[in-house]
Amino acid sequence: MTKLNAAFEQFDAYNQKDPNIFTWENKSYPQEYFLAIELYNWVNKLDANASEELLLASRSQHIGRWEIPRNTYPEGREAYLKWRKDLAQYHTEKAAAIMENVGYGTEQIARTRQILLKQKIKVDQDVQTMENALCLVFLQFQYEEFHPKYEADKVINILKKSLLKMDAHGHKFALTLPYSDQGLHYIQEALKLINSK
């Protein structure tokens, strides 16, 4: 077994312990396991020549996420941002330990860490591909359940922020996904706000 496959096997085994269940097309999966596989699939669609470090990062982006729930932090934006920052560090530590365990050296671990922490987005192509893939996973698998819960202005604002993180290559794929009429309307409104600037 290659180091890459050994790392994937350990990432997947860890994420399969997620007690949260994600249901898609009448099948149930441990949530972070399902989302990691789909993130990896999107990275491969976006970049047929993805680097090994990008593939490793895609399969471990949210490893162990359920172990630090949002409700363990106070309410409010500042606490939310602290939670997100702490989570990112947690994921990189988990991923790095597994990579070291299967034989990766310090350089590849450090590079994977850079991608996981999304450093130099818009400059580093691997980081940009990761951001595109993360947004596409949300749009494909979570968006249609998400948007009916909120007011139109809030949905459009969240979409605008997500779409701004993407590049034109990511937008092209986003517009090919199937949406409800309402879901598509919100995306079109968000793109109008972006393009009007």
Side-chain angles (χ1 to χ4, degrees):
M1 186 184 286
T2 65
K3 283 187 294 187
L4 182 63
N5 285 331
F8 283 169
E9 194 172 84
Q10 290 197 32
F11 292 154
D12 291 351
Y14 202 101
N15 277 331
Q16 283 170 338
K17 294 187 284 187
D18 187 355
N20 301 299
I21 299 300
F22 190 92
T23 302
W24 183 253
E25 295 181 340
N26 298 316
K27 289 187 181 177
S28 296
Y29 308 86
Q31 181 164 292
E32 293 309 332
Y33 169 69
F34 176 85
L35 295 175
I37 296 295
E38 295 304 334
L39 184 62
Y40 169 80
N41 289 340
W42 266 115
V43 161
N44 278 302
K45 284 179 200 170
L46 290 160
D47 183 357
N49 299 305
S51 68
E52 190 165 340
E53 294 86 356
L54 176 54
L55 295 175
L56 287 158
S58 71
R59 201 72 159 249
S60 62
Q61 175 72 32
H62 292 144
I63 190 167
R65 186 175 189 143
W66 65 94
E67 293 171 330
I68 307 180
R70 171 68 182 94
N71 63 14
T72 57
Y73 286 67
E75 291 297 314
R77 180 162 174 75
E78 193 174 320
Y80 170 77
L81 294 173
K82 174 78 165 61
W83 171 66
R84 288 289 299 269
K85 187 175 180 181
D86 290 350
L87 261 182
Q89 290 295 339
Y90 187 69
H91 301 322
T92 59
E93 286 163 17
K94 290 279 179 198
I98 287 172
M99 286 179 67
E100 188 174 0
N101 187 48
V102 300
Y104 279 100
T106 53
E107 281 188 23
Q108 283 186 291
I109 292 173
R111 175 60 182 149
T112 304
R113 184 186 292 269
Q114 281 181 330
I115 301 167
L116 285 169
L117 294 174
K118 292 190 277 188
Q119 294 171 347
K120 298 187 177 177
I121 188 171
K122 301 288 184 185
V123 177
D124 185 320
Q125 191 53 54
D126 280 353
V127 176
Q128 186 60 58
T129 298
M130 174 67 91
E131 189 60 55
N132 285 343
L134 283 162
C135 292
L136 287 162
V137 167
F138 167 71
L139 289 171
Q140 184 176 5
F141 299 104
Q142 297 165 300
Y143 171 59
E144 286 294 345
E145 187 178 339
F146 165 82
H147 74 73
K149 299 175 183 175
Y150 299 96
E151 295 293 324
D153 287 352
K154 181 168 184 174
V155 174
I156 291 166
N157 190 46
I158 288 168
L159 283 171
K160 186 180 84 167
K161 287 178 182 174
S162 294
L163 292 165
L164 278 169
K165 291 177 187 174
M166 301 172 81
D167 61 10
H169 186 53
H171 288 164
K172 183 179 77 175
F173 282 92
L175 291 170
T176 67
L177 294 172
Y179 302 107
S180 65
D181 290 345
Q182 188 68 67
L184 180 59
H185 170 71
Y186 289 148
I187 289 171
Q188 289 169 337
E189 289 300 305
L191 284 170
K192 274 186 205 170
L193 289 173
I194 291 168
N195 294 328
S196 67
K197 290 188 175 180

